[in-house]
Amino acid sequence: MKRLVAWLMSGLVLAGLLVSLLVPPAASAEELRNLADDKIAERGDKVDLNNSSVRRFQSYPGMYPTLAGKIVLGGPYQSVDDVLNLDLTDRQKELFNKYKDNFTVTPPAIALNEGFDRINDGQYR
């Protein structure tokens, strides 16, 4: 009986070794990068007006959720100043100008803009 168990165990170990030879190696970190990672690297610490969700505006008092929603829905933008062409109140224009240096514009990416992910990205506290 002991020999049978030892023979079965050695067969399992051999099968595991053979499977490990057939399975491709794990992807490197460079291969795991996606469009979102590239956009984050491109924008740096700034909020990308064409590719960010409404939640990215929470750190700017007064902008979330109303003004942030207008900005997100009003794009795409060619420059940061294009936001001022939206139908904004004087207070909203003042707020936007106050934080203007914290924003940037990169070309819009379909993967980051499809559906309602920019309005409700599913992250809750």
Side-chain angles (χ1 to χ4, degrees):
M1 185 69 174
K2 289 182 181 179
R3 286 186 184 174
L4 179 61
V5 171
W7 183 78
L8 289 174
M9 291 302 290
S10 64
L12 285 174
V13 169
L14 182 61
L17 290 173
L18 289 175
V19 167
S20 69
L21 292 174
L22 298 175
V23 175
S28 67
E30 192 64 32
E31 294 170 358
L32 294 176
R33 290 185 61 84
N34 60 25
L35 181 61
D37 294 330
D38 294 338
K39 282 292 181 186
I40 289 169
E42 187 177 346
R43 73 173 185 232
D45 292 336
K46 297 186 175 192
V47 175
D48 183 357
L49 299 178
N50 284 335
N51 296 297
S52 293
S53 72
V54 172
R55 291 182 58 85
R56 289 277 291 147
F57 292 87
Q58 281 184 318
S59 56
Y60 305 105
M63 293 195 74
Y64 179 82
T66 306
L67 180 54
K70 282 185 177 183
I71 292 170
V72 166
L73 293 174
Y77 305 103
Q78 297 298 318
S79 72
V80 173
D81 290 325
D82 288 351
V83 171
L84 297 172
N85 296 331
L86 297 174
D87 183 27
L88 304 177
T89 65
D90 291 337
R91 174 69 178 138
Q92 288 173 332
K93 287 179 183 180
E94 180 183 324
L95 272 171
F96 180 77
N97 284 323
K98 178 179 177 181
Y99 300 117
K100 186 174 165 179
D101 294 337
N102 297 305
F103 305 128
T104 189
V105 171
T106 63
I110 292 174
L112 299 175
N113 289 301
E114 63 187 358
F116 291 106
D117 285 347
R118 292 190 67 205
I119 299 298
N120 181 1
D121 58 8
Q123 297 179 13
Y124 306 102
R125 290 186 212 181

mmCIF file with all atom_site columns, all heavy atoms in Angstrom, residues 95-118:
data_model
loop_
_atom_site.group_PDB
_atom_site.id
_atom_site.type_symbol
_atom_site.label_atom_id
_atom_site.label_alt_id
_atom_site.label_comp_id
_atom_site.label_asym_id
_atom_site.label_entity_id
_atom_site.label_seq_id
_atom_site.pdbx_PDB_ins_code
_atom_site.Cartn_x
_atom_site.Cartn_y
_atom_site.Cartn_z
_atom_site.occupancy
_atom_site.B_iso_or_equiv
_atom_site.pdbx_formal_charge
_atom_site.auth_seq_id
_atom_site.auth_comp_id
_atom_site.auth_asym_id
_atom_site.auth_atom_id
_atom_site.pdbx_PDB_model_num
ATOM 1   N N   . LEU A 1 95  ? -14.737 79.505 -9.225  1.00 0.00 ? 95  LEU A N   1
ATOM 2   C CA  . LEU A 1 95  ? -14.174 78.269 -8.664  1.00 0.00 ? 95  LEU A CA  1
ATOM 3   C C   . LEU A 1 95  ? -13.239 77.589 -9.660  1.00 0.00 ? 95  LEU A C   1
ATOM 4   O O   . LEU A 1 95  ? -12.153 77.140 -9.296  1.00 0.00 ? 95  LEU A O   1
ATOM 5   C CB  . LEU A 1 95  ? -15.295 77.297 -8.299  1.00 0.00 ? 95  LEU A CB  1
ATOM 6   C CG  . LEU A 1 95  ? -15.893 77.418 -6.919  1.00 0.00 ? 95  LEU A CG  1
ATOM 7   C CD1 . LEU A 1 95  ? -17.129 76.531 -6.794  1.00 0.00 ? 95  LEU A CD1 1
ATOM 8   C CD2 . LEU A 1 95  ? -14.877 77.061 -5.867  1.00 0.00 ? 95  LEU A CD2 1
ATOM 9   N N   . PHE A 1 96  ? -13.678 77.512 -10.907 1.00 0.00 ? 96  PHE A N   1
ATOM 10  C CA  . PHE A 1 96  ? -12.852 76.852 -11.910 1.00 0.00 ? 96  PHE A CA  1
ATOM 11  C C   . PHE A 1 96  ? -11.530 77.597 -12.075 1.00 0.00 ? 96  PHE A C   1
ATOM 12  O O   . PHE A 1 96  ? -10.469 76.973 -12.126 1.00 0.00 ? 96  PHE A O   1
ATOM 13  C CB  . PHE A 1 96  ? -13.589 76.762 -13.259 1.00 0.00 ? 96  PHE A CB  1
ATOM 14  C CG  . PHE A 1 96  ? -12.769 76.087 -14.305 1.00 0.00 ? 96  PHE A CG  1
ATOM 15  C CD1 . PHE A 1 96  ? -12.626 74.709 -14.307 1.00 0.00 ? 96  PHE A CD1 1
ATOM 16  C CD2 . PHE A 1 96  ? -12.097 76.809 -15.266 1.00 0.00 ? 96  PHE A CD2 1
ATOM 17  C CE1 . PHE A 1 96  ? -11.842 74.071 -15.251 1.00 0.00 ? 96  PHE A CE1 1
ATOM 18  C CE2 . PHE A 1 96  ? -11.310 76.195 -16.215 1.00 0.00 ? 96  PHE A CE2 1
ATOM 19  C CZ  . PHE A 1 96  ? -11.189 74.815 -16.204 1.00 0.00 ? 96  PHE A CZ  1
ATOM 20  N N   . ASN A 1 97  ? -11.574 78.910 -12.151 1.00 0.00 ? 97  ASN A N   1
ATOM 21  C CA  . ASN A 1 97  ? -10.346 79.693 -12.303 1.00 0.00 ? 97  ASN A CA  1
ATOM 22  C C   . ASN A 1 97  ? -9.432  79.548 -11.090 1.00 0.00 ? 97  ASN A C   1
ATOM 23  O O   . ASN A 1 97  ? -8.209  79.589 -11.215 1.00 0.00 ? 97  ASN A O   1
ATOM 24  C CB  . ASN A 1 97  ? -10.673 81.168 -12.563 1.00 0.00 ? 97  ASN A CB  1
ATOM 25  C CG  . ASN A 1 97  ? -11.129 81.394 -13.993 1.00 0.00 ? 97  ASN A CG  1
ATOM 26  O OD1 . ASN A 1 97  ? -10.619 80.771 -14.915 1.00 0.00 ? 97  ASN A OD1 1
ATOM 27  N ND2 . ASN A 1 97  ? -12.094 82.267 -14.162 1.00 0.00 ? 97  ASN A ND2 1
ATOM 28  N N   . LYS A 1 98  ? -10.020 79.363 -9.916  1.00 0.00 ? 98  LYS A N   1
ATOM 29  C CA  . LYS A 1 98  ? -9.240  79.178 -8.696  1.00 0.00 ? 98  LYS A CA  1
ATOM 30  C C   . LYS A 1 98  ? -8.383  77.913 -8.766  1.00 0.00 ? 98  LYS A C   1
ATOM 31  O O   . LYS A 1 98  ? -7.231  77.906 -8.325  1.00 0.00 ? 98  LYS A O   1
ATOM 32  C CB  . LYS A 1 98  ? -10.193 79.099 -7.497  1.00 0.00 ? 98  LYS A CB  1
ATOM 33  C CG  . LYS A 1 98  ? -9.524  78.871 -6.170  1.00 0.00 ? 98  LYS A CG  1
ATOM 34  C CD  . LYS A 1 98  ? -10.559 78.825 -5.058  1.00 0.00 ? 98  LYS A CD  1
ATOM 35  C CE  . LYS A 1 98  ? -9.926  78.526 -3.717  1.00 0.00 ? 98  LYS A CE  1
ATOM 36  N NZ  . LYS A 1 98  ? -10.934 78.447 -2.648  1.00 0.00 ? 98  LYS A NZ  1
ATOM 37  N N   . TYR A 1 99  ? -8.939  76.839 -9.322  1.00 0.00 ? 99  TYR A N   1
ATOM 38  C CA  . TYR A 1 99  ? -8.247  75.547 -9.370  1.00 0.00 ? 99  TYR A CA  1
ATOM 39  C C   . TYR A 1 99  ? -7.685  75.215 -10.754 1.00 0.00 ? 99  TYR A C   1
ATOM 40  O O   . TYR A 1 99  ? -7.197  74.105 -10.972 1.00 0.00 ? 99  TYR A O   1
ATOM 41  C CB  . TYR A 1 99  ? -9.199  74.424 -8.948  1.00 0.00 ? 99  TYR A CB  1
ATOM 42  C CG  . TYR A 1 99  ? -9.733  74.584 -7.549  1.00 0.00 ? 99  TYR A CG  1
ATOM 43  C CD1 . TYR A 1 99  ? -11.091 74.751 -7.326  1.00 0.00 ? 99  TYR A CD1 1
ATOM 44  C CD2 . TYR A 1 99  ? -8.889  74.561 -6.459  1.00 0.00 ? 99  TYR A CD2 1
ATOM 45  C CE1 . TYR A 1 99  ? -11.593 74.883 -6.045  1.00 0.00 ? 99  TYR A CE1 1
ATOM 46  C CE2 . TYR A 1 99  ? -9.378  74.703 -5.173  1.00 0.00 ? 99  TYR A CE2 1
ATOM 47  C CZ  . TYR A 1 99  ? -10.735 74.862 -4.975  1.00 0.00 ? 99  TYR A CZ  1
ATOM 48  O OH  . TYR A 1 99  ? -11.214 74.995 -3.707  1.00 0.00 ? 99  TYR A OH  1
ATOM 49  N N   . LYS A 1 100 ? -7.734  76.139 -11.660 1.00 0.00 ? 100 LYS A N   1
ATOM 50  C CA  . LYS A 1 100 ? -7.392  75.899 -13.067 1.00 0.00 ? 100 LYS A CA  1
ATOM 51  C C   . LYS A 1 100 ? -6.015  75.255 -13.269 1.00 0.00 ? 100 LYS A C   1
ATOM 52  O O   . LYS A 1 100 ? -5.835  74.428 -14.156 1.00 0.00 ? 100 LYS A O   1
ATOM 53  C CB  . LYS A 1 100 ? -7.470  77.231 -13.803 1.00 0.00 ? 100 LYS A CB  1
ATOM 54  C CG  . LYS A 1 100 ? -7.288  77.182 -15.257 1.00 0.00 ? 100 LYS A CG  1
ATOM 55  C CD  . LYS A 1 100 ? -7.544  78.591 -15.782 1.00 0.00 ? 100 LYS A CD  1
ATOM 56  C CE  . LYS A 1 100 ? -7.075  78.785 -17.162 1.00 0.00 ? 100 LYS A CE  1
ATOM 57  N NZ  . LYS A 1 100 ? -7.355  80.136 -17.634 1.00 0.00 ? 100 LYS A NZ  1
ATOM 58  N N   . ASP A 1 101 ? -5.045  75.605 -12.448 1.00 0.00 ? 101 ASP A N   1
ATOM 59  C CA  . ASP A 1 101 ? -3.694  75.056 -12.602 1.00 0.00 ? 101 ASP A CA  1
ATOM 60  C C   . ASP A 1 101 ? -3.609  73.573 -12.252 1.00 0.00 ? 101 ASP A C   1
ATOM 61  O O   . ASP A 1 101 ? -2.606  72.929 -12.527 1.00 0.00 ? 101 ASP A O   1
ATOM 62  C CB  . ASP A 1 101 ? -2.704  75.833 -11.732 1.00 0.00 ? 101 ASP A CB  1
ATOM 63  C CG  . ASP A 1 101 ? -2.537  77.278 -12.195 1.00 0.00 ? 101 ASP A CG  1
ATOM 64  O OD1 . ASP A 1 101 ? -2.817  77.556 -13.379 1.00 0.00 ? 101 ASP A OD1 1
ATOM 65  O OD2 . ASP A 1 101 ? -2.159  78.131 -11.362 1.00 0.00 ? 101 ASP A OD2 1
ATOM 66  N N   . ASN A 1 102 ? -4.658  73.023 -11.646 1.00 0.00 ? 102 ASN A N   1
ATOM 67  C CA  . ASN A 1 102 ? -4.673  71.609 -11.260 1.00 0.00 ? 102 ASN A CA  1
ATOM 68  C C   . ASN A 1 102 ? -5.265  70.715 -12.344 1.00 0.00 ? 102 ASN A C   1
ATOM 69  O O   . ASN A 1 102 ? -5.415  69.516 -12.116 1.00 0.00 ? 102 ASN A O   1
ATOM 70  C CB  . ASN A 1 102 ? -5.478  71.432 -9.968  1.00 0.00 ? 102 ASN A CB  1
ATOM 71  C CG  . ASN A 1 102 ? -4.851  72.166 -8.817  1.00 0.00 ? 102 ASN A CG  1
ATOM 72  O OD1 . ASN A 1 102 ? -3.691  71.965 -8.512  1.00 0.00 ? 102 ASN A OD1 1
ATOM 73  N ND2 . ASN A 1 102 ? -5.611  73.037 -8.190  1.00 0.00 ? 102 ASN A ND2 1
ATOM 74  N N   . PHE A 1 103 ? -5.613  71.284 -13.485 1.00 0.00 ? 103 PHE A N   1
ATOM 75  C CA  . PHE A 1 103 ? -6.262  70.532 -14.549 1.00 0.00 ? 103 PHE A CA  1
ATOM 76  C C   . PHE A 1 103 ? -5.383  70.465 -15.789 1.00 0.00 ? 103 PHE A C   1
ATOM 77  O O   . PHE A 1 103 ? -4.539  71.336 -16.015 1.00 0.00 ? 103 PHE A O   1
ATOM 78  C CB  . PHE A 1 103 ? -7.606  71.164 -14.923 1.00 0.00 ? 103 PHE A CB  1
ATOM 79  C CG  . PHE A 1 103 ? -8.539  71.323 -13.760 1.00 0.00 ? 103 PHE A CG  1
ATOM 80  C CD1 . PHE A 1 103 ? -9.126  72.541 -13.479 1.00 0.00 ? 103 PHE A CD1 1
ATOM 81  C CD2 . PHE A 1 103 ? -8.830  70.256 -12.934 1.00 0.00 ? 103 PHE A CD2 1
ATOM 82  C CE1 . PHE A 1 103 ? -9.980  72.696 -12.405 1.00 0.00 ? 103 PHE A CE1 1
ATOM 83  C CE2 . PHE A 1 103 ? -9.685  70.399 -11.851 1.00 0.00 ? 103 PHE A CE2 1
ATOM 84  C CZ  . PHE A 1 103 ? -10.258 71.615 -11.589 1.00 0.00 ? 103 PHE A CZ  1
ATOM 85  N N   . THR A 1 104 ? -5.600  69.430 -16.556 1.00 0.00 ? 104 THR A N   1
ATOM 86  C CA  . THR A 1 104 ? -4.926  69.266 -17.831 1.00 0.00 ? 104 THR A CA  1
ATOM 87  C C   . THR A 1 104 ? -5.894  68.640 -18.815 1.00 0.00 ? 104 THR A C   1
ATOM 88  O O   . THR A 1 104 ? -6.958  68.146 -18.426 1.00 0.00 ? 104 THR A O   1
ATOM 89  C CB  . THR A 1 104 ? -3.651  68.413 -17.690 1.00 0.00 ? 104 THR A CB  1
ATOM 90  O OG1 . THR A 1 104 ? -2.915  68.451 -18.917 1.00 0.00 ? 104 THR A OG1 1
ATOM 91  C CG2 . THR A 1 104 ? -3.981  66.966 -17.350 1.00 0.00 ? 104 THR A CG2 1
ATOM 92  N N   . VAL A 1 105 ? -5.524  68.638 -20.086 1.00 0.00 ? 105 VAL A N   1
ATOM 93  C CA  . VAL A 1 105 ? -6.349  68.032 -21.132 1.00 0.00 ? 105 VAL A CA  1
ATOM 94  C C   . VAL A 1 105 ? -5.466  67.113 -21.957 1.00 0.00 ? 105 VAL A C   1
ATOM 95  O O   . VAL A 1 105 ? -4.415  67.518 -22.435 1.00 0.00 ? 105 VAL A O   1
ATOM 96  C CB  . VAL A 1 105 ? -6.971  69.128 -22.034 1.00 0.00 ? 105 VAL A CB  1
ATOM 97  C CG1 . VAL A 1 105 ? -7.645  68.515 -23.234 1.00 0.00 ? 105 VAL A CG1 1
ATOM 98  C CG2 . VAL A 1 105 ? -7.946  69.976 -21.245 1.00 0.00 ? 105 VAL A CG2 1
ATOM 99  N N   . THR A 1 106 ? -5.882  65.856 -22.076 1.00 0.00 ? 106 THR A N   1
ATOM 100 C CA  . THR A 1 106 ? -5.241  64.908 -22.985 1.00 0.00 ? 106 THR A CA  1
ATOM 101 C C   . THR A 1 106 ? -6.317  64.398 -23.931 1.00 0.00 ? 106 THR A C   1
ATOM 102 O O   . THR A 1 106 ? -7.507  64.539 -23.641 1.00 0.00 ? 106 THR A O   1
ATOM 103 C CB  . THR A 1 106 ? -4.598  63.730 -22.222 1.00 0.00 ? 106 THR A CB  1
ATOM 104 O OG1 . THR A 1 106 ? -5.617  62.995 -21.548 1.00 0.00 ? 106 THR A OG1 1
ATOM 105 C CG2 . THR A 1 106 ? -3.556  64.209 -21.224 1.00 0.00 ? 106 THR A CG2 1
ATOM 106 N N   . PRO A 1 107 ? -5.936  63.820 -25.056 1.00 0.00 ? 107 PRO A N   1
ATOM 107 C CA  . PRO A 1 107 ? -6.961  63.305 -25.982 1.00 0.00 ? 107 PRO A CA  1
ATOM 108 C C   . PRO A 1 107 ? -7.878  62.307 -25.295 1.00 0.00 ? 107 PRO A C   1
ATOM 109 O O   . PRO A 1 107 ? -7.413  61.472 -24.512 1.00 0.00 ? 107 PRO A O   1
ATOM 110 C CB  . PRO A 1 107 ? -6.141  62.643 -27.092 1.00 0.00 ? 107 PRO A CB  1
ATOM 111 C CG  . PRO A 1 107 ? -4.803  63.296 -27.020 1.00 0.00 ? 107 PRO A CG  1
ATOM 112 C CD  . PRO A 1 107 ? -4.581  63.637 -25.581 1.00 0.00 ? 107 PRO A CD  1
ATOM 113 N N   . PRO A 1 108 ? -9.189  62.389 -25.555 1.00 0.00 ? 108 PRO A N   1
ATOM 114 C CA  . PRO A 1 108 ? -10.120 61.451 -24.916 1.00 0.00 ? 108 PRO A CA  1
ATOM 115 C C   . PRO A 1 108 ? -9.884  60.018 -25.382 1.00 0.00 ? 108 PRO A C   1
ATOM 116 O O   . PRO A 1 108 ? -9.587  59.774 -26.542 1.00 0.00 ? 108 PRO A O   1
ATOM 117 C CB  . PRO A 1 108 ? -11.502 61.938 -25.348 1.00 0.00 ? 108 PRO A CB  1
ATOM 118 C CG  . PRO A 1 108 ? -11.284 62.943 -26.411 1.00 0.00 ? 108 PRO A CG  1
ATOM 119 C CD  . PRO A 1 108 ? -9.858  63.348 -26.411 1.00 0.00 ? 108 PRO A CD  1
ATOM 120 N N   . ALA A 1 109 ? -10.009 59.083 -24.461 1.00 0.00 ? 109 ALA A N   1
ATOM 121 C CA  . ALA A 1 109 ? -9.855  57.661 -24.757 1.00 0.00 ? 109 ALA A CA  1
ATOM 122 C C   . ALA A 1 109 ? -11.213 56.984 -24.590 1.00 0.00 ? 109 ALA A C   1
ATOM 123 O O   . ALA A 1 109 ? -11.859 57.131 -23.555 1.00 0.00 ? 109 ALA A O   1
ATOM 124 C CB  . ALA A 1 109 ? -8.835  57.036 -23.823 1.00 0.00 ? 109 ALA A CB  1
ATOM 125 N N   . ILE A 1 110 ? -11.641 56.251 -25.601 1.00 0.00 ? 110 ILE A N   1
ATOM 126 C CA  . ILE A 1 110 ? -12.948 55.598 -25.569 1.00 0.00 ? 110 ILE A CA  1
ATOM 127 C C   . ILE A 1 110 ? -13.069 54.661 -24.369 1.00 0.00 ? 110 ILE A C   1
ATOM 128 O O   . ILE A 1 110 ? -14.091 54.613 -23.704 1.00 0.00 ? 110 ILE A O   1
ATOM 129 C CB  . ILE A 1 110 ? -13.206 54.836 -26.886 1.00 0.00 ? 110 ILE A CB  1
ATOM 130 C CG1 . ILE A 1 110 ? -13.365 55.839 -28.020 1.00 0.00 ? 110 ILE A CG1 1
ATOM 131 C CG2 . ILE A 1 110 ? -14.438 53.951 -26.780 1.00 0.00 ? 110 ILE A CG2 1
ATOM 132 C CD1 . ILE A 1 110 ? -13.475 55.217 -29.392 1.00 0.00 ? 110 ILE A CD1 1
ATOM 133 N N   . ALA A 1 111 ? -12.006 53.944 -24.063 1.00 0.00 ? 111 ALA A N   1
ATOM 134 C CA  . ALA A 1 111 ? -12.051 52.993 -22.944 1.00 0.00 ? 111 ALA A CA  1
ATOM 135 C C   . ALA A 1 111 ? -12.317 53.681 -21.613 1.00 0.00 ? 111 ALA A C   1
ATOM 136 O O   . ALA A 1 111 ? -12.868 53.078 -20.703 1.00 0.00 ? 111 ALA A O   1
ATOM 137 C CB  . ALA A 1 111 ? -10.743 52.220 -22.873 1.00 0.00 ? 111 ALA A CB  1
ATOM 138 N N   . LEU A 1 112 ? -11.951 54.933 -21.487 1.00 0.00 ? 112 LEU A N   1
ATOM 139 C CA  . LEU A 1 112 ? -12.149 55.653 -20.237 1.00 0.00 ? 112 LEU A CA  1
ATOM 140 C C   . LEU A 1 112 ? -13.416 56.503 -20.245 1.00 0.00 ? 112 LEU A C   1
ATOM 141 O O   . LEU A 1 112 ? -13.751 57.114 -19.246 1.00 0.00 ? 112 LEU A O   1
ATOM 142 C CB  . LEU A 1 112 ? -10.943 56.564 -19.964 1.00 0.00 ? 112 LEU A CB  1
ATOM 143 C CG  . LEU A 1 112 ? -9.614  55.835 -19.818 1.00 0.00 ? 112 LEU A CG  1
ATOM 144 C CD1 . LEU A 1 112 ? -8.488  56.834 -19.685 1.00 0.00 ? 112 LEU A CD1 1
ATOM 145 C CD2 . LEU A 1 112 ? -9.634  54.891 -18.642 1.00 0.00 ? 112 LEU A CD2 1
ATOM 146 N N   . ASN A 1 113 ? -14.119 56.559 -21.362 1.00 0.00 ? 113 ASN A N   1
ATOM 147 C CA  . ASN A 1 113 ? -15.280 57.437 -21.482 1.00 0.00 ? 113 ASN A CA  1
ATOM 148 C C   . ASN A 1 113 ? -16.575 56.724 -21.826 1.00 0.00 ? 113 ASN A C   1
ATOM 149 O O   . ASN A 1 113 ? -17.616 57.364 -21.891 1.00 0.00 ? 113 ASN A O   1
ATOM 150 C CB  . ASN A 1 113 ? -15.019 58.498 -22.554 1.00 0.00 ? 113 ASN A CB  1
ATOM 151 C CG  . ASN A 1 113 ? -14.001 59.509 -22.096 1.00 0.00 ? 113 ASN A CG  1
ATOM 152 O OD1 . ASN A 1 113 ? -14.196 60.170 -21.095 1.00 0.00 ? 113 ASN A OD1 1
ATOM 153 N ND2 . ASN A 1 113 ? -12.908 59.611 -22.821 1.00 0.00 ? 113 ASN A ND2 1
ATOM 154 N N   . GLU A 1 114 ? -16.545 55.433 -22.076 1.00 0.00 ? 114 GLU A N   1
ATOM 155 C CA  . GLU A 1 114 ? -17.766 54.755 -22.490 1.00 0.00 ? 114 GLU A CA  1
ATOM 156 C C   . GLU A 1 114 ? -18.702 54.533 -21.304 1.00 0.00 ? 114 GLU A C   1
ATOM 157 O O   . GLU A 1 114 ? -18.281 54.432 -20.162 1.00 0.00 ? 114 GLU A O   1
ATOM 158 C CB  . GLU A 1 114 ? -17.442 53.441 -23.180 1.00 0.00 ? 114 GLU A CB  1
ATOM 159 C CG  . GLU A 1 114 ? -16.746 52.424 -22.307 1.00 0.00 ? 114 GLU A CG  1
ATOM 160 C CD  . GLU A 1 114 ? -16.299 51.215 -23.087 1.00 0.00 ? 114 GLU A CD  1
ATOM 161 O OE1 . GLU A 1 114 ? -16.564 51.142 -24.288 1.00 0.00 ? 114 GLU A OE1 1
ATOM 162 O OE2 . GLU A 1 114 ? -15.679 50.339 -22.484 1.00 0.00 ? 114 GLU A OE2 1
ATOM 163 N N   . GLY A 1 115 ? -19.979 54.493 -21.584 1.00 0.00 ? 115 GLY A N   1
ATOM 164 C CA  . GLY A 1 115 ? -20.973 54.266 -20.544 1.00 0.00 ? 115 GLY A CA  1
ATOM 165 C C   . GLY A 1 115 ? -21.068 55.440 -19.595 1.00 0.00 ? 115 GLY A C   1
ATOM 166 O O   . GLY A 1 115 ? -20.798 56.576 -19.943 1.00 0.00 ? 115 GLY A O   1
ATOM 167 N N   . PHE A 1 116 ? -21.456 55.150 -18.362 1.00 0.00 ? 116 PHE A N   1
ATOM 168 C CA  . PHE A 1 116 ? -21.622 56.191 -17.356 1.00 0.00 ? 116 PHE A CA  1
ATOM 169 C C   . PHE A 1 116 ? -20.504 56.149 -16.319 1.00 0.00 ? 116 PHE A C   1
ATOM 170 O O   . PHE A 1 116 ? -20.651 56.674 -15.223 1.00 0.00 ? 116 PHE A O   1
ATOM 171 C CB  . PHE A 1 116 ? -22.981 56.043 -16.659 1.00 0.00 ? 116 PHE A CB  1
ATOM 172 C CG  . PHE A 1 116 ? -24.124 56.368 -17.568 1.00 0.00 ? 116 PHE A CG  1
ATOM 173 C CD1 . PHE A 1 116 ? -24.918 55.363 -18.083 1.00 0.00 ? 116 PHE A CD1 1
ATOM 174 C CD2 . PHE A 1 116 ? -24.395 57.669 -17.913 1.00 0.00 ? 116 PHE A CD2 1
ATOM 175 C CE1 . PHE A 1 116 ? -25.973 55.657 -18.932 1.00 0.00 ? 116 PHE A CE1 1
ATOM 176 C CE2 . PHE A 1 116 ? -25.445 57.981 -18.757 1.00 0.00 ? 116 PHE A CE2 1
ATOM 177 C CZ  . PHE A 1 116 ? -26.237 56.978 -19.265 1.00 0.00 ? 116 PHE A CZ  1
ATOM 178 N N   . ASP A 1 117 ? -19.366 55.526 -16.636 1.00 0.00 ? 117 ASP A N   1
ATOM 179 C CA  . ASP A 1 117 ? -18.282 55.393 -15.674 1.00 0.00 ? 117 ASP A CA  1
ATOM 180 C C   . ASP A 1 117 ? -17.714 56.732 -15.243 1.00 0.00 ? 117 ASP A C   1
ATOM 181 O O   . ASP A 1 117 ? -17.188 56.866 -14.148 1.00 0.00 ? 117 ASP A O   1
ATOM 182 C CB  . ASP A 1 117 ? -17.152 54.533 -16.232 1.00 0.00 ? 117 ASP A CB  1
ATOM 183 C CG  . ASP A 1 117 ? -17.509 53.069 -16.242 1.00 0.00 ? 117 ASP A CG  1
ATOM 184 O OD1 . ASP A 1 117 ? -18.518 52.718 -15.601 1.00 0.00 ? 117 ASP A OD1 1
ATOM 185 O OD2 . ASP A 1 117 ? -16.801 52.288 -16.883 1.00 0.00 ? 117 ASP A OD2 1
ATOM 186 N N   . ARG A 1 118 ? -17.799 57.741 -16.069 1.00 0.00 ? 118 ARG A N   1
ATOM 187 C CA  . ARG A 1 118 ? -17.263 59.048 -15.682 1.00 0.00 ? 118 ARG A CA  1
ATOM 188 C C   . ARG A 1 118 ? -18.183 59.743 -14.679 1.00 0.00 ? 118 ARG A C   1
ATOM 189 O O   . ARG A 1 118 ? -17.747 60.578 -13.915 1.00 0.00 ? 118 ARG A O   1
ATOM 190 C CB  . ARG A 1 118 ? -17.061 59.930 -16.905 1.00 0.00 ? 118 ARG A CB  1
ATOM 191 C CG  . ARG A 1 118 ? -15.948 59.385 -17.782 1.00 0.00 ? 118 ARG A CG  1
ATOM 192 C CD  . ARG A 1 118 ? -15.552 60.318 -18.868 1.00 0.00 ? 118 ARG A CD  1
ATOM 193 N NE  . ARG A 1 118 ? -14.923 61.499 -18.305 1.00 0.00 ? 118 ARG A NE  1
ATOM 194 C CZ  . ARG A 1 118 ? -14.893 62.670 -18.916 1.00 0.00 ? 118 ARG A CZ  1
ATOM 195 N NH1 . ARG A 1 118 ? -15.457 62.824 -20.088 1.00 0.00 ? 118 ARG A NH1 1
ATOM 196 N NH2 . ARG A 1 118 ? -14.309 63.710 -18.360 1.00 0.00 ? 118 ARG A NH2 1
#
